[in-house]
Protein backbone atom coordinates (compact mmCIF):
# COMPACT_ATOMS: atom_id res chain seq x y z
CA UNK A 1 0.00 0.00 0.00
CA UNK A 2 3.03 2.30 -0.15
CA UNK A 3 2.39 2.45 -3.89
CA UNK A 4 -1.30 3.03 -4.65
CA UNK A 5 -3.29 3.34 -7.85
CA UNK A 6 -3.45 0.65 -10.50
CA UNK A 7 -1.36 2.67 -12.98
CA UNK A 8 1.35 3.48 -10.47
CA UNK A 9 1.49 -0.16 -9.32
CA UNK A 10 2.01 -1.29 -12.94
CA UNK A 11 4.79 1.24 -13.53
CA UNK A 12 6.47 0.18 -10.27
CA UNK A 13 6.40 -3.48 -11.42
CA UNK A 14 7.95 -2.52 -14.77
CA UNK A 15 10.63 -0.56 -12.92
CA UNK A 16 11.22 -3.59 -10.67
CA UNK A 17 11.89 -5.82 -13.68
CA UNK A 18 14.14 -3.17 -15.22
CA UNK A 19 16.21 -2.98 -12.01
CA UNK A 20 16.36 -6.78 -11.82
CA UNK A 21 17.77 -6.90 -15.35
CA UNK A 22 20.30 -4.16 -14.60
CA UNK A 23 21.46 -5.94 -11.44
CA UNK A 24 21.81 -9.41 -13.01
CA UNK A 25 25.51 -10.27 -13.17
CA UNK A 26 25.33 -13.86 -14.48
CA UNK A 27 26.33 -14.83 -17.99
CA UNK A 28 24.00 -17.66 -18.99
CA UNK A 29 20.70 -17.15 -20.77
CA UNK A 30 18.74 -19.90 -19.01
CA UNK A 31 19.78 -18.47 -15.63
CA UNK A 32 18.76 -14.95 -16.67
CA UNK A 33 15.34 -16.03 -17.95
CA UNK A 34 14.70 -18.04 -14.77
CA UNK A 35 15.77 -15.11 -12.60
CA UNK A 36 13.50 -12.64 -14.43
CA UNK A 37 10.63 -15.12 -14.26
CA UNK A 38 11.13 -15.48 -10.46
CA UNK A 39 11.18 -11.70 -10.01
CA UNK A 40 8.03 -11.46 -12.17
CA UNK A 41 6.20 -14.00 -9.97
CA UNK A 42 7.31 -12.15 -6.82
CA UNK A 43 6.05 -8.82 -8.18
CA UNK A 44 2.75 -10.31 -9.39
CA UNK A 45 2.06 -11.69 -5.90
CA UNK A 46 2.19 -8.25 -4.25
CA UNK A 47 -1.45 -7.29 -5.04
CA UNK A 48 -4.07 -9.64 -6.50
CA UNK A 49 -6.76 -7.43 -8.05
CA UNK A 50 -5.35 -4.73 -10.36
CA UNK A 51 -4.67 -6.43 -13.72
CA UNK A 52 -2.41 -3.53 -14.70
CA UNK A 53 0.26 -5.25 -12.59
CA UNK A 54 0.36 -8.62 -14.45
CA UNK A 55 -0.29 -6.81 -17.75
CA UNK A 56 2.88 -4.71 -17.29
CA UNK A 57 4.82 -7.88 -16.47
CA UNK A 58 3.52 -10.04 -19.33
CA UNK A 59 4.24 -7.19 -21.77
CA UNK A 60 7.93 -7.36 -20.78
CA UNK A 61 8.10 -11.17 -20.52
CA UNK A 62 6.46 -11.58 -23.94
CA UNK A 63 9.17 -9.37 -25.50
CA UNK A 64 11.87 -11.33 -23.67
CA UNK A 65 10.49 -14.72 -24.65
CA UNK A 66 10.03 -13.82 -28.30
CA UNK A 67 13.59 -12.51 -28.70
CA UNK A 68 16.00 -15.06 -30.11
CA UNK A 69 19.46 -14.22 -28.84
CA UNK A 70 22.35 -16.10 -27.25
CA UNK A 71 23.64 -12.93 -25.64
CA UNK A 72 22.64 -12.12 -22.03
CA UNK A 73 23.48 -8.42 -22.44
CA UNK A 74 21.11 -8.22 -25.40
CA UNK A 75 18.32 -9.90 -23.42
CA UNK A 76 18.92 -7.55 -20.49
CA UNK A 77 18.50 -4.65 -22.94
CA UNK A 78 15.17 -6.13 -24.14
CA UNK A 79 13.84 -6.17 -20.55
CA UNK A 80 15.14 -2.67 -19.81
CA UNK A 81 13.78 -1.19 -23.05
CA UNK A 82 10.36 -2.80 -22.79
CA UNK A 83 10.03 -1.70 -19.14
CA UNK A 84 10.87 1.87 -20.15
CA UNK A 85 8.44 1.64 -23.08
CA UNK A 86 5.64 0.49 -20.77
CA UNK A 87 6.27 3.28 -18.25
CA UNK A 88 6.34 5.93 -20.98
CA UNK A 89 3.17 4.53 -22.59
CA UNK A 90 1.38 4.42 -19.23
CA UNK A 91 2.09 8.07 -18.38
CA UNK A 92 1.08 9.23 -21.86
CA UNK A 93 -2.10 7.10 -21.73
CA UNK A 94 -3.24 8.75 -18.48
CA UNK A 95 -2.61 12.15 -20.06
CA UNK A 96 -4.56 11.22 -23.22
CA UNK A 97 -7.49 9.93 -21.15
CA UNK A 98 -7.65 13.44 -19.66
CA UNK A 99 -7.72 15.09 -23.08
CA UNK A 100 -10.36 12.71 -24.45
CA UNK A 101 -12.49 12.55 -21.27
CA UNK A 102 -12.54 16.34 -20.81
CA UNK A 103 -14.71 16.57 -23.95
CA UNK A 104 -17.53 14.94 -21.98
CA UNK A 105 -17.35 17.57 -19.24
CA UNK A 106 -19.46 20.67 -19.67
CA UNK A 107 -18.98 24.12 -18.22
CA UNK A 108 -20.78 24.29 -14.88
CA UNK A 109 -20.81 20.53 -14.27
CA UNK A 110 -20.64 19.08 -10.76
CA UNK A 111 -18.53 15.95 -10.73
CA UNK A 112 -18.28 13.21 -8.14
CA UNK A 113 -15.24 10.96 -7.88
CA UNK A 114 -14.37 8.10 -5.54
CA UNK A 115 -11.04 6.92 -4.09
CA UNK A 116 -7.91 8.23 -5.79
CA UNK A 117 -7.55 7.63 -9.50
CA UNK A 118 -4.94 9.41 -11.63
CA UNK A 119 -6.97 8.61 -14.75
CA UNK A 120 -10.21 10.09 -13.34
CA UNK A 121 -8.29 13.11 -11.99
CA UNK A 122 -6.66 13.61 -15.39
CA UNK A 123 -10.15 14.13 -16.91
CA UNK A 124 -11.13 16.66 -14.23
CA UNK A 125 -7.81 18.53 -14.42
CA UNK A 126 -7.90 18.77 -18.24
CA UNK A 127 -11.48 20.05 -18.19
CA UNK A 128 -10.48 22.79 -15.73
CA UNK A 129 -7.37 23.67 -17.75
CA UNK A 130 -9.64 24.12 -20.78
CA UNK A 131 -11.42 26.84 -18.80
CA UNK A 132 -14.52 24.89 -17.77
CA UNK A 133 -15.84 25.89 -14.38
CA UNK A 134 -16.66 22.75 -12.50
CA UNK A 135 -17.47 21.73 -8.95
CA UNK A 136 -16.00 18.55 -7.52
CA UNK A 137 -17.29 16.30 -4.77
CA UNK A 138 -15.10 13.44 -3.59
CA UNK A 139 -15.68 10.64 -1.13
CA UNK A 140 -13.44 9.88 1.83
CA UNK A 141 -13.16 6.24 0.67
CA UNK A 142 -13.12 4.18 3.80
CA UNK A 143 -11.27 2.39 5.24
CA UNK A 144 -7.95 3.75 3.86
CA UNK A 145 -9.21 7.29 3.17
CA UNK A 146 -7.60 7.70 -0.27
CA UNK A 147 -10.17 10.47 -0.82
CA UNK A 148 -7.88 12.74 1.20
CA UNK A 149 -5.12 12.19 -1.39
CA UNK A 150 -7.61 13.15 -4.11
CA UNK A 151 -8.65 16.30 -2.24
CA UNK A 152 -5.00 17.31 -1.77
CA UNK A 153 -4.20 16.72 -5.47
CA UNK A 154 -7.20 18.76 -6.58
CA UNK A 155 -6.28 21.62 -4.26
CA UNK A 156 -2.74 21.57 -5.66
CA UNK A 157 -4.32 22.20 -9.08
CA UNK A 158 -6.42 25.00 -7.50
CA UNK A 159 -9.61 22.93 -7.99
CA UNK A 160 -12.00 23.24 -5.07
CA UNK A 161 -13.54 20.02 -3.85
CA UNK A 162 -16.09 19.08 -1.23
CA UNK A 163 -15.13 16.01 0.75
CA UNK A 164 -18.09 13.81 1.72
CA UNK A 165 -18.40 10.53 3.61
CA UNK A 166 -18.98 7.43 1.48
CA UNK A 167 -22.44 7.00 2.98
CA UNK A 168 -23.45 10.56 1.98
CA UNK A 169 -23.32 9.82 -1.77
CA UNK A 170 -27.10 9.36 -2.21
CA UNK A 171 -27.81 12.52 -0.23
CA UNK A 172 -25.60 14.49 -2.65
CA UNK A 173 -26.43 12.77 -5.94
CA UNK A 174 -29.07 15.35 -6.90
CA UNK A 175 -26.29 17.95 -7.07
CA UNK A 176 -24.12 15.79 -9.36
CA UNK A 177 -24.05 15.89 -13.19
CA UNK A 178 -21.39 13.24 -13.81
CA UNK A 179 -19.57 10.57 -11.84
CA UNK A 180 -16.01 9.68 -12.90
CA UNK A 181 -14.04 6.88 -11.29
CA UNK A 182 -10.93 4.89 -12.16
CA UNK A 183 -10.53 1.14 -12.59
CA UNK A 184 -8.28 -1.58 -11.27
CA UNK A 185 -9.53 -4.16 -13.77
CA UNK A 186 -12.02 -4.20 -16.65
CA UNK A 187 -13.30 -7.63 -17.59
CA UNK A 188 -14.13 -8.93 -21.06
CA UNK A 189 -17.87 -8.32 -20.51
CA UNK A 190 -17.29 -4.67 -19.51
CA UNK A 191 -17.72 -5.11 -15.75
CA UNK A 192 -15.37 -2.83 -13.83
CA UNK A 193 -13.51 -3.71 -10.65
CA UNK A 194 -12.65 -0.62 -8.64
CA UNK A 195 -12.29 0.52 -5.02
CA UNK A 196 -14.97 -0.77 -2.68
CA UNK A 197 -18.02 1.47 -2.78
CA UNK A 198 -17.84 2.13 -6.52
CA UNK A 199 -20.75 -0.18 -7.38
CA UNK A 200 -23.01 1.49 -4.78
CA UNK A 201 -22.23 4.87 -6.33
CA UNK A 202 -23.03 3.46 -9.81
CA UNK A 203 -26.35 2.16 -8.53
CA UNK A 204 -27.24 5.53 -7.01
CA UNK A 205 -26.17 7.34 -10.22
CA UNK A 206 -28.35 5.02 -12.30
CA UNK A 207 -31.34 5.70 -10.07
CA UNK A 208 -30.76 9.46 -10.38
CA UNK A 209 -30.10 9.29 -14.15
CA UNK A 210 -26.59 10.70 -13.68
CA UNK A 211 -23.87 9.70 -16.20
CA UNK A 212 -21.36 7.23 -14.78
CA UNK A 213 -17.93 7.19 -16.47
CA UNK A 214 -14.91 4.97 -15.87
CA UNK A 215 -11.44 6.23 -16.83
CA UNK A 216 -9.20 3.25 -17.63
CA UNK A 217 -6.05 2.77 -19.67
CA UNK A 218 -6.11 -0.25 -22.01
CA UNK A 219 -3.65 -2.12 -19.76
CA UNK A 220 -6.40 -2.29 -17.13
CA UNK A 221 -8.40 -4.67 -19.36
CA UNK A 222 -7.97 -8.30 -18.33
CA UNK A 223 -7.04 -10.81 -21.07
CA UNK A 224 -7.53 -13.78 -18.71
CA UNK A 225 -11.23 -12.92 -18.31
CA UNK A 226 -11.72 -13.65 -22.04
CA UNK A 227 -10.88 -17.24 -21.12
CA UNK A 228 -13.26 -17.32 -18.19
CA UNK A 229 -10.95 -16.48 -15.32
CA UNK A 230 -12.47 -14.70 -12.33
CA UNK A 231 -10.93 -11.53 -10.88
CA UNK A 232 -9.71 -12.02 -7.32
CA UNK A 233 -10.97 -9.35 -4.93
CA UNK A 234 -8.31 -8.43 -2.39
CA UNK A 235 -9.51 -8.87 1.20
CA UNK A 236 -7.54 -6.70 3.57
CA UNK A 237 -6.90 -6.69 7.32
CA UNK A 238 -9.89 -6.09 9.66
CA UNK A 239 -7.59 -3.70 11.54
CA UNK A 240 -8.09 -1.16 8.71
CA UNK A 241 -11.82 -1.12 9.55
CA UNK A 242 -11.84 -1.15 13.34
CA UNK A 243 -8.61 0.86 13.59
CA UNK A 244 -7.73 1.47 17.26
CA UNK A 245 -11.26 1.07 18.60
CA UNK A 246 -11.83 -1.34 21.45
CA UNK A 247 -13.99 -4.09 19.95
CA UNK A 248 -15.32 -7.32 21.44
CA UNK A 249 -12.89 -10.12 20.51
CA UNK A 250 -15.44 -12.35 18.76
CA UNK A 251 -16.74 -9.70 16.35
CA UNK A 252 -16.48 -10.73 12.69
CA UNK A 253 -15.08 -8.03 10.40
CA UNK A 254 -14.78 -8.24 6.59
CA UNK A 255 -12.74 -5.79 4.53
CA UNK A 256 -12.92 -6.36 0.76
CA UNK A 257 -10.87 -3.65 -0.98
CA UNK A 258 -12.71 -3.71 -4.33
CA UNK A 259 -16.14 -4.40 -5.82
CA UNK A 260 -17.59 -5.11 -9.24
CA UNK A 261 -19.78 -2.67 -11.15
CA UNK A 262 -21.78 -4.44 -13.88
CA UNK A 263 -21.64 -2.96 -17.42
CA UNK A 264 -25.34 -1.95 -17.31
CA UNK A 265 -24.44 0.72 -14.73
CA UNK A 266 -21.63 2.25 -16.78
CA UNK A 267 -22.36 4.83 -19.49
CA UNK A 268 -18.88 4.71 -21.03
CA UNK A 269 -15.28 3.76 -20.43
CA UNK A 270 -12.77 6.49 -21.30
CA UNK A 271 -9.56 4.92 -22.62
CA UNK A 272 -6.48 6.52 -24.21
CA UNK A 273 -7.77 5.19 -27.55
CA UNK A 274 -11.24 6.67 -27.28
CA UNK A 275 -14.52 6.44 -25.41
CA UNK A 276 -16.19 3.04 -25.63
CA UNK A 277 -19.38 1.48 -24.30
CA UNK A 278 -18.40 -1.11 -21.65
CA UNK A 279 -19.76 -3.87 -23.91
CA UNK A 280 -16.94 -3.05 -26.38
CA UNK A 281 -14.26 -4.13 -23.86
CA UNK A 282 -13.84 -7.43 -25.67
CA UNK A 283 -12.75 -5.50 -28.79
CA UNK A 284 -10.01 -3.68 -26.85
CA UNK A 285 -8.87 -7.04 -25.51
CA UNK A 286 -8.85 -8.79 -28.87
CA UNK A 287 -7.08 -5.92 -30.59
CA UNK A 288 -4.48 -5.09 -27.93
CA UNK A 289 -4.10 -8.31 -25.97
CA UNK A 290 -4.60 -10.90 -28.72
CA UNK A 291 -0.96 -11.92 -28.16
CA UNK A 292 -1.56 -12.40 -24.40
CA UNK A 293 -4.68 -14.49 -25.02
CA UNK A 294 -2.68 -16.59 -27.53
CA UNK A 295 0.20 -17.01 -25.00
CA UNK A 296 -2.30 -18.10 -22.36
CA UNK A 297 -3.90 -20.65 -24.72
CA UNK A 298 -0.52 -22.00 -25.81
CA UNK A 299 1.08 -22.22 -22.37
CA UNK A 300 -1.79 -23.06 -20.07
CA UNK A 301 -4.39 -24.75 -22.20
CA UNK A 302 -1.75 -26.35 -24.45
CA UNK A 303 -3.55 -25.87 -27.71
CA UNK A 304 -1.81 -25.87 -31.08
CA UNK A 305 -0.22 -22.68 -32.51
CA UNK A 306 -2.41 -23.03 -35.64
CA UNK A 307 -5.61 -22.99 -33.55
CA UNK A 308 -4.83 -19.47 -32.25
CA UNK A 309 -4.56 -17.70 -35.60
CA UNK A 310 -8.14 -16.38 -35.61
CA UNK A 311 -7.69 -14.50 -32.28
P1 LIG B 1 -5.31 4.97 -11.26
C1 LIG B 1 -6.84 2.28 -6.94
O1 LIG B 1 -6.63 1.13 -6.19
C2 LIG B 1 -8.28 2.78 -6.89
O2 LIG B 1 -9.23 1.72 -6.84
C3 LIG B 1 -8.34 3.55 -8.18
O3 LIG B 1 -9.66 3.84 -8.61
C4 LIG B 1 -7.61 2.59 -9.13
O4 LIG B 1 -6.53 2.07 -8.34
C5 LIG B 1 -7.08 3.20 -10.39
O5 LIG B 1 -6.11 4.19 -10.09
P2 LIG B 1 -5.58 1.10 -4.92
O6 LIG B 1 -4.23 0.82 -5.49
O7 LIG B 1 -4.47 3.97 -11.99
O8 LIG B 1 -5.67 2.43 -4.20
O9 LIG B 1 -6.33 5.62 -12.15
O10 LIG B 1 -6.06 -0.05 -4.06
O11 LIG B 1 -4.47 5.97 -10.51
Amino acid sequence: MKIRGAGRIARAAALGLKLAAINYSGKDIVGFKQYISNVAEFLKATRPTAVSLPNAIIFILHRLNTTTSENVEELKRVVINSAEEFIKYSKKATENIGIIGAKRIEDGDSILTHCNSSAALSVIIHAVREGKKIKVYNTETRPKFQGYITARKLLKECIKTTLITDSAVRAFMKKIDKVIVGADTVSANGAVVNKIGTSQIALIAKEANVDFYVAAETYKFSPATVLGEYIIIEERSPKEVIRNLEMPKNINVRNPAFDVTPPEYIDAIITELGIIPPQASILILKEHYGWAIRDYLLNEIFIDEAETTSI
Side-chain angles (χ1 to χ4, degrees), residues 188-245:
N189 70 348
V192 167
V193 178
N194 193 48
K195 185 54 42 73
I196 192 80
T198 302
S199 67
Q200 285 179 171
I201 299 174
L203 190 65
I204 295 167
K206 182 96 178 160
E207 181 205 39
N209 215 7
V210 168
D211 288 344
F212 186 92
Y213 291 109
V214 174
E217 300 86 340
T218 48
Y219 54 80
K220 291 176 183 163
F221 289 67
S222 166
T225 58
V226 177
L227 298 152
E229 217 164 83
Y230 284 119
I231 298 156
I232 298 167
I233 303 291
E234 180 179 0
E235 180 103 18
R236 300 185 56 82
S237 164
K239 286 189 188 134
E240 290 180 356
V241 178
I242 54 175
R243 305 172 82 79
N244 298 323
L245 298 173

Side-chain angles (χ1 to χ4, degrees), residues 5-7 9 47 115-119 146 183-184 194-195 220 258:
I9 290 168
R47 301 274 312 263
C115 195
N116 179 241
S117 158
S118 319
Q146 290 99 327
D184 290 84
N194 193 48
K195 185 54 42 73
K220 291 176 183 163
F258 303 96

Side-chain angles (χ1 to χ4, degrees), residues 16-87:
L17 280 180
K18 176 183 160 178
L19 293 176
I22 290 172
N23 291 332
Y24 185 76
S25 55
K27 293 283 167 244
D28 78 298
I29 292 182
V30 177
F32 176 67
K33 286 193 171 171
Q34 189 54 55
Y35 168 69
I36 289 294
S37 154
N38 292 347
V39 174
E41 287 310 311
F42 174 78
L43 289 167
K44 269 201 253 173
T46 53
R47 301 274 312 263
T49 303
V51 76
S52 49
L53 172 68
N55 276 354
I57 291 168
I58 59 170
F59 173 78
I60 298 164
L61 292 189
H62 180 75
R63 287 276 178 87
L64 174 64
N65 294 330
T66 49
T67 304
T68 38
S69 171
E70 295 304 310
N71 182 330
V72 173
E73 286 311 310
E74 201 179 314
L75 293 180
K76 281 169 79 170
R77 232 334 88 215
V78 169
V79 172
I80 295 165
N81 288 348
S82 20
E84 284 172 353
E85 194 184 315
F86 180 86
I87 293 168

Side-chain angles (χ1 to χ4, degrees), residues 135-149:
K135 270 192 191 157
V136 182
Y137 289 81
N138 81 282
T139 57
E140 280 186 313
T141 320
R142 269 192 63 93
K144 293 290 283 180
F145 299 105
Q146 290 99 327
Y148 289 82
I149 307 173

